[in-house]
Amino acid sequence: MLNKRDNIIIPDQNNLQKCDLFNGNCVLIPKYVFEKIGNLDYYFHHSYGDFEYGLRAKKNNIESYIVPNFVGYCKKDIVDGDFKFLSRKYNLMQRVKFLYSPLGKNPCEAFYISRKYNSFIYSFLVFLKLHYNVIFKLKD
């Protein structure tokens, strides 16, 4: 769960907290919300769909909340932004394949979600930046 500044919100033991985005590890959607904004956008293959649903809810004046305490736990697929597409361990073609994989940051999906909520220019820059990172922003 994130707030407007992309800060991860840790569940409080006693209080509900508002959030702007969420991932779908454990989300309860009331029937009236589903009837108003529909299902997940089928364009997405992985996490962007969860984020887009939260953005769509917010756009429709539906608030999202984190319940007190934790309701589940799952192992993180990616630790601290350690994406394979940024690793020097792999050649360029492998990194591009990782970028477009379900656990990457598919530039087409990134452009699509960004375009729904931002300008074309901003969305195009997001698309370009992801490719730039695969070539120049390597770790290891």
Side-chain angles (χ1 to χ4, degrees):
M1 283 54 73
L2 301 170
N3 68 13
K4 292 177 188 174
R5 294 173 300 284
D6 294 331
N7 294 322
I8 295 176
I9 300 170
I10 305 299
D12 182 291
Q13 290 187 357
N14 302 309
N15 302 300
L16 285 174
Q17 297 177 83
K18 279 174 107 172
C19 64
D20 295 319
L21 298 174
F22 51 81
N23 62 26
N25 291 335
C26 187
V27 177
L28 296 176
I29 308 292
K31 183 179 178 185
Y32 80 92
V33 171
F34 182 82
E35 289 173 347
K36 182 171 183 175
I37 66 173
N39 204 350
L40 293 170
D41 185 328
Y42 291 106
Y43 184 84
F44 301 108
H45 295 100
H46 198 50
S47 63
Y48 283 121
D50 306 339
F51 295 138
E52 193 280 330
Y53 201 83
L55 290 170
R56 190 171 358 133
K58 186 172 179 72
K59 186 176 181 179
N60 283 276
N61 298 314
I62 298 168
E63 296 181 344
S64 298
Y65 293 90
I66 302 169
V67 297
N69 224 330
F70 292 90
V71 294
Y73 172 83
C74 65
K75 179 183 158 284
K76 287 178 81 171
D77 295 323
I78 307 300
V79 178
D80 297 325
D82 188 23
F83 292 101
K84 286 183 177 181
F85 65 83
L86 297 175
S87 176
R88 292 183 194 280
K89 295 177 189 174
Y90 306 101
N91 68 42
L92 178 60
M93 292 307 294
Q94 289 171 312
R95 292 194 311 268
V96 169
K97 187 175 179 178
F98 290 136
L99 176 66
Y100 280 85
S101 75
L103 293 179
K105 289 210 176 246
N106 186 307
C108 296
E109 292 183 19
F111 176 84
Y112 179 82
I113 189 172
S114 182
R115 188 63 194 107
K116 286 179 91 168
Y117 299 95
N118 301 291
S119 72
F120 176 83
I121 297 295
Y122 178 85
S123 303
F124 185 66
L125 291 174
V126 167
F127 181 86
L128 289 178
K129 183 180 180 199
L130 287 167
H131 290 91
Y132 173 87
N133 290 347
V134 167
I135 299 168
F136 299 111
K137 291 271 188 160
L138 304 179
K139 298 177 181 182
D140 299 346

PDB file of all heavy atoms in Angstrom, residues 8-20:
ATOM      1  N   ILE A   8       5.729   3.466   1.279  1.00  0.00           N
ATOM      2  CA  ILE A   8       5.039   2.257   1.719  1.00  0.00           C
ATOM      3  C   ILE A   8       4.465   2.522   3.107  1.00  0.00           C
ATOM      4  O   ILE A   8       5.141   3.073   3.973  1.00  0.00           O
ATOM      5  CB  ILE A   8       5.995   1.053   1.738  1.00  0.00           C
ATOM      6  CG1 ILE A   8       6.437   0.737   0.313  1.00  0.00           C
ATOM      7  CG2 ILE A   8       5.334  -0.152   2.402  1.00  0.00           C
ATOM      8  CD1 ILE A   8       7.464  -0.363   0.216  1.00  0.00           C
ATOM      9  N   ILE A   9       3.224   2.129   3.297  1.00  0.00           N
ATOM     10  CA  ILE A   9       2.559   2.322   4.591  1.00  0.00           C
ATOM     11  C   ILE A   9       2.557   0.987   5.325  1.00  0.00           C
ATOM     12  O   ILE A   9       2.082  -0.018   4.806  1.00  0.00           O
ATOM     13  CB  ILE A   9       1.110   2.809   4.392  1.00  0.00           C
ATOM     14  CG1 ILE A   9       1.103   4.136   3.637  1.00  0.00           C
ATOM     15  CG2 ILE A   9       0.406   2.950   5.737  1.00  0.00           C
ATOM     16  CD1 ILE A   9      -0.278   4.554   3.192  1.00  0.00           C
ATOM     17  N   ILE A  10       3.108   0.985   6.511  1.00  0.00           N
ATOM     18  CA  ILE A  10       3.117  -0.208   7.360  1.00  0.00           C
ATOM     19  C   ILE A  10       1.819  -0.210   8.166  1.00  0.00           C
ATOM     20  O   ILE A  10       1.452   0.809   8.752  1.00  0.00           O
ATOM     21  CB  ILE A  10       4.331  -0.202   8.317  1.00  0.00           C
ATOM     22  CG1 ILE A  10       5.641  -0.050   7.537  1.00  0.00           C
ATOM     23  CG2 ILE A  10       4.335  -1.449   9.197  1.00  0.00           C
ATOM     24  CD1 ILE A  10       5.922  -1.154   6.561  1.00  0.00           C
ATOM     25  N   PRO A  11       1.115  -1.343   8.200  1.00  0.00           N
ATOM     26  CA  PRO A  11      -0.139  -1.378   8.971  1.00  0.00           C
ATOM     27  C   PRO A  11       0.074  -0.999  10.437  1.00  0.00           C
ATOM     28  O   PRO A  11       1.016  -1.441  11.066  1.00  0.00           O
ATOM     29  CB  PRO A  11      -0.590  -2.839   8.847  1.00  0.00           C
ATOM     30  CG  PRO A  11       0.050  -3.322   7.590  1.00  0.00           C
ATOM     31  CD  PRO A  11       1.366  -2.606   7.510  1.00  0.00           C
ATOM     32  N   ASP A  12      -0.805  -0.165  10.932  1.00  0.00           N
ATOM     33  CA  ASP A  12      -0.836   0.221  12.334  1.00  0.00           C
ATOM     34  C   ASP A  12      -1.604  -0.870  13.080  1.00  0.00           C
ATOM     35  O   ASP A  12      -2.566  -1.411  12.555  1.00  0.00           O
ATOM     36  CB  ASP A  12      -1.557   1.570  12.455  1.00  0.00           C
ATOM     37  CG  ASP A  12      -1.611   2.082  13.869  1.00  0.00           C
ATOM     38  OD1 ASP A  12      -2.330   1.470  14.689  1.00  0.00           O
ATOM     39  OD2 ASP A  12      -0.966   3.102  14.138  1.00  0.00           O
ATOM     40  N   GLN A  13      -1.204  -1.182  14.279  1.00  0.00           N
ATOM     41  CA  GLN A  13      -1.864  -2.258  15.018  1.00  0.00           C
ATOM     42  C   GLN A  13      -3.284  -1.930  15.443  1.00  0.00           C
ATOM     43  O   GLN A  13      -4.068  -2.826  15.719  1.00  0.00           O
ATOM     44  CB  GLN A  13      -1.038  -2.650  16.245  1.00  0.00           C
ATOM     45  CG  GLN A  13       0.241  -3.341  15.887  1.00  0.00           C
ATOM     46  CD  GLN A  13       0.948  -3.874  17.118  1.00  0.00           C
ATOM     47  OE1 GLN A  13       0.509  -3.682  18.247  1.00  0.00           O
ATOM     48  NE2 GLN A  13       2.046  -4.562  16.894  1.00  0.00           N
ATOM     49  N   ASN A  14      -3.633  -0.642  15.505  1.00  0.00           N
ATOM     50  CA  ASN A  14      -4.924  -0.273  16.073  1.00  0.00           C
ATOM     51  C   ASN A  14      -5.842   0.533  15.166  1.00  0.00           C
ATOM     52  O   ASN A  14      -7.013   0.679  15.484  1.00  0.00           O
ATOM     53  CB  ASN A  14      -4.696   0.519  17.361  1.00  0.00           C
ATOM     54  CG  ASN A  14      -3.898  -0.266  18.372  1.00  0.00           C
ATOM     55  OD1 ASN A  14      -4.234  -1.397  18.676  1.00  0.00           O
ATOM     56  ND2 ASN A  14      -2.818   0.309  18.859  1.00  0.00           N
ATOM     57  N   ASN A  15      -5.323   1.081  14.069  1.00  0.00           N
ATOM     58  CA  ASN A  15      -6.112   2.030  13.291  1.00  0.00           C
ATOM     59  C   ASN A  15      -6.128   1.728  11.800  1.00  0.00           C
ATOM     60  O   ASN A  15      -5.145   1.238  11.250  1.00  0.00           O
ATOM     61  CB  ASN A  15      -5.539   3.445  13.482  1.00  0.00           C
ATOM     62  CG  ASN A  15      -5.534   3.865  14.917  1.00  0.00           C
ATOM     63  OD1 ASN A  15      -6.573   3.923  15.551  1.00  0.00           O
ATOM     64  ND2 ASN A  15      -4.356   4.156  15.448  1.00  0.00           N
ATOM     65  N   LEU A  16      -7.253   2.064  11.186  1.00  0.00           N
ATOM     66  CA  LEU A  16      -7.324   2.073   9.725  1.00  0.00           C
ATOM     67  C   LEU A  16      -6.439   3.206   9.221  1.00  0.00           C
ATOM     68  O   LEU A  16      -6.309   4.235   9.882  1.00  0.00           O
ATOM     69  CB  LEU A  16      -8.746   2.359   9.246  1.00  0.00           C
ATOM     70  CG  LEU A  16      -9.789   1.267   9.343  1.00  0.00           C
ATOM     71  CD1 LEU A  16     -11.155   1.825   8.955  1.00  0.00           C
ATOM     72  CD2 LEU A  16      -9.435   0.106   8.446  1.00  0.00           C
ATOM     73  N   GLN A  17      -5.843   3.016   8.029  1.00  0.00           N
ATOM     74  CA  GLN A  17      -5.054   4.077   7.411  1.00  0.00           C
ATOM     75  C   GLN A  17      -5.466   4.198   5.949  1.00  0.00           C
ATOM     76  O   GLN A  17      -5.645   3.191   5.275  1.00  0.00           O
ATOM     77  CB  GLN A  17      -3.565   3.747   7.470  1.00  0.00           C
ATOM     78  CG  GLN A  17      -2.999   3.650   8.861  1.00  0.00           C
ATOM     79  CD  GLN A  17      -1.541   3.254   8.812  1.00  0.00           C
ATOM     80  OE1 GLN A  17      -0.674   4.076   8.627  1.00  0.00           O
ATOM     81  NE2 GLN A  17      -1.294   1.952   8.944  1.00  0.00           N
ATOM     82  N   LYS A  18      -5.593   5.425   5.483  1.00  0.00           N
ATOM     83  CA  LYS A  18      -5.897   5.643   4.072  1.00  0.00           C
ATOM     84  C   LYS A  18      -4.668   5.346   3.231  1.00  0.00           C
ATOM     85  O   LYS A  18      -3.542   5.555   3.671  1.00  0.00           O
ATOM     86  CB  LYS A  18      -6.312   7.101   3.831  1.00  0.00           C
ATOM     87  CG  LYS A  18      -7.746   7.412   4.178  1.00  0.00           C
ATOM     88  CD  LYS A  18      -7.993   8.884   4.051  1.00  0.00           C
ATOM     89  CE  LYS A  18      -8.807   9.166   2.829  1.00  0.00           C
ATOM     90  NZ  LYS A  18      -9.238  10.579   2.773  1.00  0.00           N
ATOM     91  N   CYS A  19      -4.902   4.854   2.018  1.00  0.00           N
ATOM     92  CA  CYS A  19      -3.811   4.654   1.067  1.00  0.00           C
ATOM     93  C   CYS A  19      -4.300   5.051  -0.324  1.00  0.00           C
ATOM     94  O   CYS A  19      -5.501   5.116  -0.575  1.00  0.00           O
ATOM     95  CB  CYS A  19      -3.305   3.223   1.089  1.00  0.00           C
ATOM     96  SG  CYS A  19      -4.493   1.976   0.573  1.00  0.00           S
ATOM     97  N   ASP A  20      -3.373   5.348  -1.208  1.00  0.00           N
ATOM     98  CA  ASP A  20      -3.711   5.752  -2.571  1.00  0.00           C
ATOM     99  C   ASP A  20      -3.633   4.589  -3.558  1.00  0.00           C
ATOM    100  O   ASP A  20      -4.375   4.553  -4.529  1.00  0.00           O
ATOM    101  CB  ASP A  20      -2.772   6.862  -3.038  1.00  0.00           C
ATOM    102  CG  ASP A  20      -2.949   8.130  -2.233  1.00  0.00           C
ATOM    103  OD1 ASP A  20      -4.108   8.482  -1.943  1.00  0.00           O
ATOM    104  OD2 ASP A  20      -1.945   8.768  -1.886  1.00  0.00           O
TER     105      ASP A  20
END
